[in-house]
Amino acid sequence: MRALVKHKAEPGLWLMDVPEPETGPGDVLIKVLRTGICGTDLHIRNWDGWAQQAVTTPRVLGHEFVGEVAHTGADVQDIKVGDIVSGEGHLVCGKCRNCLAGRRHLCRSTVGLGVGVDGAFAEYVALPASNVWVHRTKVDLDVAAIFDPFGNAVHTALSFPLVGEDVLITGAGPIGIMAAAVARHAGARSVVITDVSEPRLELARQVGATLAVNVAQSSIKEAQAKLGLKEGFDIGLEMSGRPEAMRDMVDNMTHGGRIAMLGLPAEEFAVDWSRIVTSMITVKGIYGREMYETWYAMTVLIEAGLDLRPVITGSYAYQDFQAAFDEAATARSGKIILDWTV
Ligand SMILES: [Zn+2]
Ligand SMILES: [Zn+2]
């Protein structure tokens, strides 16, 4: 089968023939229909410091996908050939304290699909049945392809109750934009999102952000004044991993404010901890999605009319992966889809 492979330990990606994945009795073989390109995939293509320590070659990339079940192992129940499915990209150990307690998203030995094991940028991908999410209601295939990052957005946005709250999101990448849509849908009073990319801020406005602020030109304090906020934001969703964004967020929170942080900083940085203490701020780290409470919430949000299609700004045949990756690496794009059926 054709697959996008990190073939050598150097920058680049290779489209090549590899054997179809093998499946055991508990596994599901999935014919891939569409995939989403993630920042993770860009890191691996660029072969940066993180990728060099996380990936051994050769490795088939990709963890954001939708596909059709082609085969199920003998022990698999409730998943049928022909089902339209996405996959939870974190493979958990099932043995650690958190796994045994049912808190699988907190597993200490998580392995990433397309990072630690061969992934979904291929004509077929195999997954344990426990990692397969069946789309039981009709969903747009492009939207289904980005359920994994949508899950990051939902898990982050719903970390704290949002009804009536004023929400600040720093970073209008695709996940920040999706989080803005979720926050509005979940009953936030106002959603302010920041970035320095005008096209991305415009996407955030399209999905319902109250204010999309270019922090190269104005400040979060000014946004507060515009909205008539007197005490700061109740909820912060940090999506950029950038020191200045986190500092800005801490500066603009109300007393007792709560911050969910998904943005992954490239290195250590300082924040005003005395401010966090005296403002009594909670900071919660987010990695992945809750299995499978977040997936349930995603499905219900889509059923209830949440529209993610504005977030998808490009679709390419998988053979054109170089152009697709280049587009995904720009500061203007939303989610970029690869089509594996062409
Ligand atoms: Zn991803
Ligand atoms: Zn575990």
Side-chain angles (χ1 to χ4, degrees):
M1 65 171 186
R2 305 293 279 167
L4 278 179
V5 184
K6 189 72 190 179
H7 182 53
K8 295 182 201 159
E10 60 185 64
L13 268 188
W14 290 260
L15 179 62
M16 51 198 292
D17 284 310
V18 300
E20 273 184 29
E22 294 184 4
T23 52
D27 294 334
V28 175
L29 183 69
I30 300 156
K31 178 171 173 34
V32 176
L33 301 174
R34 314 260 173 96
T35 58
I37 298 174
C38 180
T40 302
D41 307 315
L42 299 173
H43 287 296
I44 298 173
R45 182 174 79 144
N46 290 347
W47 205 233
D48 63 12
W50 171 81
Q52 289 177 33
Q53 57 81 32
V55 176
T56 52
T57 55
R59 175 71 67 230
V60 177
L61 300 200
H63 56 276
E64 303 177 2
F65 74 93
V66 63
E68 183 178 334
V69 174
H71 170 79
T72 59
D75 295 347
V76 175
Q77 295 173 341
D78 301 322
I79 299 172
K80 303 273 174 295
V81 170
D83 280 349
I84 298 297
V85 299
S86 293
E88 165 57 54
H90 285 181
L91 303 158
V92 299
C93 76
K95 294 182 285 200
C96 70
R97 178 181 172 184
N98 280 318
C99 278
L100 290 173
R103 299 183 293 262
R104 289 179 283 180
H105 65 292
L106 299 178
C107 176
R108 57 180 296 112
S109 308
T110 298
V111 176
L113 183 69
V115 178
V117 297
D118 283 341
F121 287 171
E123 291 180 276
Y124 290 91
V125 61
L127 271 180
S130 57
N131 276 70
V132 175
W133 181 260
V134 180
H135 294 285
R136 301 210 183 271
T137 50
K138 197 165 166 46
V139 54
D140 182 279
L141 283 182
D142 285 347
V143 170
I146 59 168
F147 254 49
D148 177 290
F150 178 37
N152 294 134
V154 169
H155 182 26
T156 311
L158 301 186
S159 279
F160 304 110
L162 291 177
V163 175
E165 303 289 38
D166 296 311
V167 178
L168 172 63
I169 304 174
T170 44
I175 295 177
I177 295 167
M178 288 191 273
V182 172
R184 279 324 291 270
H185 210 87
R189 177 169 69 174
S190 64
V191 177
V192 174
I193 188 165
T194 66
D195 208 286
V196 293
S197 162
E198 268 309 323
R200 285 182 161 173
L201 290 167
E202 186 49 40
L203 290 175
R205 289 181 194 108
Q206 281 176 38
V207 301
T210 318
L211 271 184
V213 179
N214 188 334
V215 283
Q217 291 159 11
S218 74
S219 70
I220 299 173
K221 284 273 186 282
E222 287 170 67
Q224 281 207 51
K226 235 184 224 174
L227 292 173
L229 301 192
K230 295 192 172 58
E231 300 182 7
F233 290 92
D234 306 297
I235 306 290
L237 310 176
E238 208 305 292
M239 299 292 194
S240 71
R242 299 194 61 89
E244 62 275 26
M246 185 62 177
R247 291 185 193 118
D248 231 5
M249 178 171 275
V250 168
D251 253 0
N252 282 277
M253 298 300 289
T254 188
H255 277 207
R258 285 162 291 180
I259 295 174
M261 187 171 183
L262 179 80
L264 197 59
E267 47 195 55
E268 283 185 6
F269 64 82
V271 291
D272 186 351
W273 284 100
S274 68
R275 173 101 192 196
I276 290 174
V277 170
T278 57
S279 295
M280 296 157 280
I281 291 170
T282 300
V283 180
K284 177 185 178 185
I286 306 283
Y287 184 60
R289 299 141 298 277
E290 286 188 10
M291 295 163 221
Y292 278 83
E293 193 59 14
T294 304
W295 289 81
Y296 180 83
M298 287 187 262
T299 297
V300 172
L301 283 162
I302 298 283
E303 281 176 11
L306 184 80
D307 187 6
L308 292 182
R309 281 172 302 184
V311 183
I312 297 163
T313 57
S315 180
Y316 293 75
Y318 73 90
Q319 296 89 340
D320 298 330
F321 71 94
Q322 296 288 15
F325 270 68
D326 289 345
E327 176 65 17
T330 66
R332 63 175 178 266
S333 68
K335 288 303 295 188
I336 303 296
I337 302 291
L338 290 176
D339 189 340
W340 289 81
T341 61
V342 288

